[in-house]
């Protein structure tokens, strides 16, 4: 089927030029529609104080994590260490802490945590839609088609629980922005412009990693590679660049992406070997872990059909119908269409159960790539990037086709069969086709109008916006999930179960009692309701008093339990050794903590059922609904002094001794070999069994402390904080070693007398990463400025048409038939291969005969 290359925009100059107000309206219409539609769908988040608990990670992980990050940054320091969970753990180096994730850092540092969370949810789909729009416009796709693509990504995310899956909502959004930056980079002609767009692309790609550093990063990087492969081949074949130029440019872009993001990657790469994921997800199958919790299944072959069902992650009838049109017809953008069709196909194959089953024997023990086996189904998100792009290209192919309407209508038949007939035959409920049926009628009518009047192409995204907005509203009033008799259900049901975020962030009686008595950690314990997934799944208001959803970071408390996929490996292993029950890889909770754990983790408080004390002798201090706060009778102090210890060969022996039921953590210390051990082992053990001594611990902020000790003989001071190589100790102003004590705690040797020990946590990789990123940005931006200045000085005076101010040669929304006069009044060439106004003339080597080449790309904008 032939297509006519659209006429260029003539509104910038000449008689009859479009008024500036009309041009501004045309420029803003698409982005405004995308933004307003998303905000309207998520209006409950914008104007209300509620947040949904449809996704289990929003309240117990993302809210407290980002809240602690934002408050720390607002106070003027980088939170390298968090004392609020897992007995203390590195924070900024955690891949999901939000450090160097610009939206999280900016929002949570600027506004209250409840406001920041709600706008953070809204930002994801808005940014995704605008990113796809900008990418398609950079590729010379018309404004209506680019708007369609942006809506087809943003509104389905906003209208489903995917909006609350913050890592994937964010990674999709920044993947779209990365594509937009790379398109501008690819089309830039001046060297200084390529450098600037390389920096922009690198920053956006780093945000993909910050949003989700495993699946999300691979999905976004895969889309970038697919696009650059197609784009560079097109550049070489059109003769705009040579092969070596392309290789050098891509190499420079790759270097920029790595160097600019050192501030994100360097701390993570340094920290991960010391974590529970250091050896890959396969580590969950050891030490009492549950391998089934670490490796998940893929999806069924028919899962993409669920994108045609509403409410949920529904892409819209017109968008889905136009996808095959792009693959079959897109002449001007055939490289782009094939690239995203191939990328979507690979994403689909990787998400399948059969692919995961075949790959498991090869990847199960691989430390880096085993994340694929953890959740193969997540690679399905690649289709959410590919399908909107193909839908946009399909609309442009439809509007520029020159065949009769009847013949052109056959292009919609494959989409109708795949997205309407097959879901019904696969067992989808009839009620999920109501919106699709209405969208089919309205979208079909709009496409029919566009086939006659291409200038009215904006009708299609307008209809899609109404359809997807209706899907979002339908989800809010839906009766509930699909019935059990429906074999095919919608994907990502709409958000539900809202809770009052303001009330959640206010401390209750138990939290207030803990705030009045700082210095000891607490544990949430309820054997009756213990869940292998962790206590954090208990998120309804009646369960808030259990304090199992990690509100410790919000209230400034310290808890000994943890919910985090990246945990200090020794802490993680200890939890599974003392309680070897199946437990998800990302949680360390205790159903019945033994006395050894209560001592080592310095637990002074237990939260559990108010009518059933978790430990004999515990006294009830506060009540909150069904929950009570109990004070332990003889809690361990944060710092203790030991004159008796045992030196073991390594961590395995230390773990065995510490978890032995006969081990008494109050009378004997277990030390491992390390720098400074000579001071401790040079003493004869037990010479002074238990002389009078004292140790006073005082926190100096979240990542520093001071310990005052008085000892009559050389000793080891045990500090019940998690050991990490980032901790530094000063004894009376002189550096001192920190030994690994009791398998995962800190031990500082001291001589006889009175001493002041100052502990501080310092992660040098944070500073080195910031320095590396800063230098990379300075070099790249400085080089861009120098090249720009050189080009400016080399320009000769006088009008230079080829160097005229940048303006988009925008495809007109009203092309006429090939060989005739378009609706703009400009005569088109008789030969459709020659394009319009000479843009289609063949230039360079290797161009296909009969191909309609792209117009010249935008200037160095």
């Amino acid at each position: 089927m032939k297509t006519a290359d659209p006429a260029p925009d003539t509104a910038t100059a000449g008689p009859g030029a479009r008024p500036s107000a009309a041009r501004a309206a045309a420029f803003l219409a698409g982005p405004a529609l995308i933004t307003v539609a998303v905000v309207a769908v998520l209006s409950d988040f914008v104007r209300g104080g509620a947040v949904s608990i449809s996704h289990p990670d929003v309240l117990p992980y993302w809210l407290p994590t980002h809240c602690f990050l934002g408050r720390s940054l607002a106070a003027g320091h980088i939170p390298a260490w968090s004392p609020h969970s897992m007995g203390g753990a590195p924070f900024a180096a955690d891949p999901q802490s939000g450090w160097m994730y610009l939206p999280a850092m900016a929002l949570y540092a600027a506004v209250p945590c409840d406001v920041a969370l709600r706008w953070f949810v809204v930002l994801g789909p808005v940014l995704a839609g605008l990113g796809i729009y900008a990418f398609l416009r950079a590729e010379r796709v018309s404004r209506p088609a680019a708007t369609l693509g942006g809506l087809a990504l943003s509104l389905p995310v906003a209208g489903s629980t995917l909006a609350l899956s913050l890592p994937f909502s964010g990674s999709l959004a920044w993947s779209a922005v990365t594509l937009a930056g790379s398109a501008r980079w690819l089309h830039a002609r001046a060297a200084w412009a390529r450098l600037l767009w390389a920096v922009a692309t690198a920053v956006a790609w780093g945000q993909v990693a910050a949003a989700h550093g495993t699946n999300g990063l691979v999905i976004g990087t895969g889309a970038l590679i697919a696009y650059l492969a197609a784009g560079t081949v097109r550049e070489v074949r059109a003769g705009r660049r040579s092969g070596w130029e392309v290789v050098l440019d891509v190499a420079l872009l790759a270097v920029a992406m790595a160097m600019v993001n050192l501030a994100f990657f360097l701390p993570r790469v340094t920290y991960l070997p010391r974590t529970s994921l250091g050896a890959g997800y396969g580590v969950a199958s050891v030490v009492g872990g549950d391998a089934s919790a670490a490796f998940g299944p893929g999806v069924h072959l028919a899962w993409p059909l669920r994108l045609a069902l509403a409410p949920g992650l529904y892409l819209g009838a017109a968008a889905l119908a136009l996808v095959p049109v792009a693959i079959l017809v897109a002449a001007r953008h055939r490289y782009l269409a094939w690239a995203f069709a191939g990328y979507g196909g690979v994403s689909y194959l990787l998400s399948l159960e059969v692919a995961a089953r075949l790959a498991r024997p090869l990847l199960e023990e691989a430390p880096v790539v085993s994340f694929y086996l953890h959740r193969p189904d997540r690679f399905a998100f690649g289709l959410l990037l590919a399908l909107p792009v193909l839908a946009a290209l399909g609309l442009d192919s439809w509007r520029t086709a020159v065949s009769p309407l009847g013949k052109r209508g056959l292009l919609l038949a494959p989409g109708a069969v795949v997205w309407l007939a097959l879901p019904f035959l696969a067992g989808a409920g009839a009620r999920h086709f109501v919106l699709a049926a209405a969208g089919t009628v309205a979208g079909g009518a709009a496409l029919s109008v566009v086939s006659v009047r291409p200038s009215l192409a904006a009708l299609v995204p307008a209809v899609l916006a109404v359809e997807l907005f209706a899907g979002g509203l339908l989800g809010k009033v839906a009766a509930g999930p699909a019935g059990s008799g429906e074999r095919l259900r919608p994907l990502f049901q709409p958000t539900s179960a809202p809770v009052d975020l303001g009330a959640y962030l206010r401390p209750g009686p138990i939290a207030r009692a803990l705030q009045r008595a700082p210095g000891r950690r607490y544990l949430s314990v309820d054997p009756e309701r213990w869940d292998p997934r962790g206590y954090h799944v208990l998120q309804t208001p009646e369960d808030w008093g259990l304090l199992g959803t990690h509100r410790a970071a919000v209230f400034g408390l310290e808890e000994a339990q943890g919910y985090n996929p990246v945990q200090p490996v020794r802490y993680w292993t200890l939890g599974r050794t003392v309680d070897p029950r199946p437990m998800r890889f990302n949680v360390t909770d205790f159903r019945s903590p033994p006395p050894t754990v209560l001592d080592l983790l310095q637990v002074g408080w237990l939260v559990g059922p108010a009518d059933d004390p978790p430990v004999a002798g515990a006294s009830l201090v506060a009540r909150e609904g069904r929950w009570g706060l109990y004070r332990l009778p003889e809690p361990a102090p944060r710092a203790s002094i030991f004159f008796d210890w045992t030196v073991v060969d390594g961590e395995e022996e230390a773990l065995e001794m510490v978890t032995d039921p006969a081990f008494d953590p109050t009378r004997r210390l277990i030390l491992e070999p390390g720098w400074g051990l000579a001071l401790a082992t040079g003493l004869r053990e037990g010479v002074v069994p238990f002389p009078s001594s004292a140790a006073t611990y005082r926190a100096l902020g979240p990542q520093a402390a001071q310990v005052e000790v008085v000892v009559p003989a050389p000793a080891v001071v045990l500090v019940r904080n998690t050991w990490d190589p980032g901790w530094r100790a000063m004894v009376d102003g002189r550096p001192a070693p920190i030994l690994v004590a009791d398998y995962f705690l800190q031990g500082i040797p001291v001589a006889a007398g009175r001493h002041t020990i100052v502990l501080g946590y310092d992660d040098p990789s944070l500073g080195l990463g910031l320095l590396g990123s800063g230098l990379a940005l300075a070099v790249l931006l400085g080089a861009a400025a120098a090249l720009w200045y050189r080009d400016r000085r080399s320009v000769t005076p006088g009008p230079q048409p080829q160097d005229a101010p940048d303006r988009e040669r925008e495809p007109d929304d009203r092309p006429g038939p090939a060989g005739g006069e378009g609706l703009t009044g400009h005569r088109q060439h008789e030969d459709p291969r020659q394009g319009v106004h000479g843009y289609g003339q063949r230039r360079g080597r290797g161009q296909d005969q009969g191909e309609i080449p792209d117009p010249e790309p935008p200037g160095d904008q």
Side-chain angles (χ1 to χ4, degrees):
M1 179 174 293
K2 294 182 179 180
T3 59
D5 206 25
D9 185 12
T10 59
T12 56
R18 188 186 302 177
S20 58
R23 293 189 64 239
F27 178 80
L28 296 174
L33 178 60
I34 293 168
T35 303
V36 171
V38 170
V39 172
V41 170
L42 294 173
S43 59
D44 292 344
F45 290 84
V46 175
R47 69 170 186 269
V51 67
S52 172
I53 59 174
S54 299
H55 195 283
D57 288 349
V58 174
L59 292 186
Y61 190 79
W62 299 114
L63 174 61
T65 300
H66 289 164
C67 192
F68 174 66
L69 171 70
R71 289 177 176 177
S72 300
L73 295 176
H77 74 273
I78 299 173
W81 181 268
S82 170
H84 299 300
S85 66
M86 300 182 290
F91 181 80
D94 187 323
Q96 298 187 111
S97 65
W99 169 243
M100 296 310 299
Y101 191 19
L102 301 181
M105 293 171 63
L107 279 173
Y108 283 86
V111 297
C113 294
D114 57 335
V115 178
L117 173 62
R118 291 187 278 116
W119 280 106
F120 193 79
V121 172
V122 175
L123 178 64
V126 169
L127 199 59
L130 296 181
I132 287 294
Y133 179 89
F135 166 63
L136 292 168
R137 290 295 297 140
E139 279 296 315
R140 285 293 170 263
V141 175
S142 67
R143 295 189 191 278
T147 304
L148 179 83
L151 292 170
L153 177 60
S154 60
L155 287 185
V157 172
S160 68
T161 52
L162 189 55
L164 296 174
S165 184
L166 300 182
F168 292 100
S169 175
S171 61
L172 286 172
W174 286 104
S175 294
V177 176
T178 302
L179 288 172
S182 64
R184 292 292 181 179
W185 168 83
L186 183 65
H187 293 312
R189 291 292 169 257
W192 63 266
R194 284 199 299 275
L195 278 177
L196 289 180
W197 285 114
V199 170
T201 304
V203 170
W205 181 76
Q207 296 305 287
V208 178
H212 196 258
T214 52
N215 303 81
L217 179 60
V218 172
I219 291 167
T221 305
L224 177 64
I225 292 173
Y227 167 68
L228 291 181
T232 53
V233 168
R234 180 184 59 193
E235 291 286 293
V236 171
R237 295 197 64 180
R240 290 188 283 266
R241 296 185 193 179
S242 68
W244 280 112
E245 287 176 329
V246 165
V247 170
L248 291 175
D249 284 343
V250 172
L252 176 61
L253 178 64
V255 170
M257 291 167 65
M259 299 303 295
V260 167
N261 293 294
L262 281 176
F264 174 83
F265 284 108
L266 188 59
R268 274 71 178 192
V269 171
T270 305
Y271 176 50
L272 274 177
R274 312 195 303 270
T275 70
S276 54
L277 288 183
Y281 281 92
V283 76
S285 62
V286 302
V287 198
D290 182 10
S292 63
F295 296 125
V299 294
H300 189 267
L301 286 168
W303 81 261
L305 301 179
R306 300 168 68 185
L307 298 173
L309 306 179
L313 194 62
Y314 170 65
L315 266 62
L320 291 171
L322 287 168
V323 168
V325 178
I327 300 173
L328 297 173
V329 180
R332 286 185 56 237
H333 299 290
R334 64 176 181 175
Y335 286 111
L336 191 62
W338 292 349
F340 277 88
Y343 166 72
V346 172
S347 300
Y348 167 70
L349 292 176
L350 289 175
S351 69
L352 296 178
E353 170 69 22
V354 62
R357 191 181 299 114
L358 292 173
R360 182 163 182 173
L362 301 175
L363 304 181
E364 186 171 359
E365 301 299 329
V368 177
V369 296
S370 63
F371 72 88
Y372 165 67
L373 296 175
H374 172 54
R375 289 293 300 273
D377 58 311
R378 288 176 173 171
F379 284 89
F381 292 130
L383 271 181
L384 300 185
L385 283 174
L387 292 178
V389 172
L390 293 173
L393 299 181
L395 178 57
D396 258 4
S397 298
W398 176 273
R399 64 188 288 269
T400 58
V402 296
S403 61
L405 177 59
K407 185 177 179 181
R408 194 188 313 186
L410 294 176
L411 295 173
L412 302 178
V417 172
V418 171
W419 304 111
L420 292 178
L422 291 184
F424 185 79
L425 294 175
R431 64 194 179 99
H432 298 304
F433 286 100
V434 174
L435 188 60
T440 300
V441 173
L447 288 172
S448 299
V449 172
V450 172
S451 65
V452 179
R453 295 290 301 273
S455 61
L456 299 179
L459 282 176
V460 181
V463 168
L464 182 68
V466 173
E467 179 185 359
L468 296 180
F469 175 72
L473 295 182
L474 179 64
K476 296 178 182 180
V477 300
S484 58
E486 299 176 358
R487 296 194 302 273
L488 196 66
R489 302 181 183 182
L491 195 64
F492 291 101
Q493 292 283 346
T495 59
S496 60
V499 298
D500 185 346
L501 193 56
Y504 181 80
L505 292 173
R506 288 193 295 270
I510 291 179
R512 290 197 298 270
L514 290 170
Q515 288 174 332
R516 290 192 295 268
R520 293 193 175 104
R521 300 185 179 101
Y522 76 87
L523 268 180
S524 303
V525 179
D526 184 5
E528 295 290 331
R529 302 190 67 186
W530 184 85
D531 191 299
R533 298 171 297 169
Y535 289 123
H536 70 277
V537 299
L538 306 176
Q539 298 183 19
T540 55
E542 56 268 23
D543 290 322
W544 291 352
L546 181 61
L547 290 182
T549 55
H550 291 198
R551 290 194 290 167
V554 177
F555 300 145
L557 308 175
E558 296 182 61
E559 57 182 326
Q561 61 219 0
Y563 171 52
N564 192 322
V566 182
Q567 302 181 27
V569 65
R570 294 193 179 213
Y571 167 86
W572 185 93
T573 305
L574 178 75
R576 281 147 181 80
T577 305
V578 300
D579 193 4
R581 296 179 175 89
M583 193 185 316
R584 277 192 61 84
F585 72 98
N586 54 4
V587 64
T588 298
D589 285 341
F590 299 91
R591 180 159 61 175
S592 299
T596 300
V597 168
L598 298 179
D599 182 284
L600 296 178
L601 289 172
Q602 202 252 333
V603 177
W605 307 91
L606 293 177
V607 182
D611 55 356
D612 186 12
V615 175
S619 56
L620 184 65
V621 175
R623 298 179 65 105
E624 185 174 340
R626 59 176 294 180
W627 307 106
L629 174 66
Y630 296 88
R631 180 189 291 114
L632 294 182
E634 295 181 1
R638 184 63 61 91
S640 300
I641 299 175
F642 284 82
F643 300 90
D644 193 10
W645 52 81
T646 299
V647 179
V648 297
D649 292 335
E651 63 180 89
E652 293 184 4
E653 186 178 354
L655 176 64
E656 182 179 354
M657 295 189 67
V658 167
T659 56
D660 189 325
F663 174 69
D664 184 354
T666 65
R667 301 184 66 85
R668 179 169 286 272
L669 192 65
I670 307 299
L671 297 179
E672 297 180 33
W675 175 68
L677 185 61
L679 174 60
T681 58
L683 307 171
R684 289 184 297 167
E685 299 179 8
V687 169
V688 186
F690 299 99
S692 60
S693 56
T696 304
Y697 180 94
R698 182 167 63 94
L700 302 177
Q703 54 198 46
Q706 179 176 298
V707 185
E708 300 285 347
V709 299
V710 179
V711 291
V716 175
V717 180
L718 174 68
V719 178
R720 292 174 174 84
N721 288 333
T722 305
W723 181 90
D724 187 89
W727 280 101
R728 303 288 184 267
M730 302 287 289
V731 177
D732 300 329
R734 293 185 295 274
I738 301 180
L739 304 174
V740 181
D742 285 348
Y743 180 64
F744 74 110
L745 300 178
Q746 303 171 7
I748 301 97
V750 294
R754 180 184 297 274
H755 303 284
T756 298
I757 303 173
V758 177
L759 295 168
Y761 187 79
D762 176 36
D763 186 350
S765 64
L766 296 176
L768 291 174
L770 286 172
L771 178 62
S773 292
L775 289 176
L777 286 172
V779 169
L780 291 171
L781 295 178
L787 291 171
W788 173 82
Y789 182 72
R790 183 201 65 182
D791 289 354
R792 185 181 181 186
R793 293 197 60 176
S794 65
V795 175
T796 57
Q800 301 290 331
Q802 65 273 22
D803 294 328
D806 292 334
R807 69 172 184 252
E808 294 183 335
R809 296 187 180 96
E810 176 189 347
D812 192 1
D813 294 342
R814 302 172 296 170
E821 187 172 291
L823 295 179
T824 55
H826 291 264
R827 187 79 177 177
Q828 299 182 359
H829 291 285
E830 296 293 335
D831 186 354
R833 292 179 298 175
Q834 297 301 309
V836 182
H837 289 280
Y839 291 162
Q841 293 178 0
R842 285 175 285 178
R843 49 188 178 275
R845 53 191 175 274
Q847 182 173 308
D848 289 347
Q849 294 294 324
E851 177 186 354
I852 303 175
D854 293 340
E856 286 289 345
D860 304 325
Q861 301 180 33

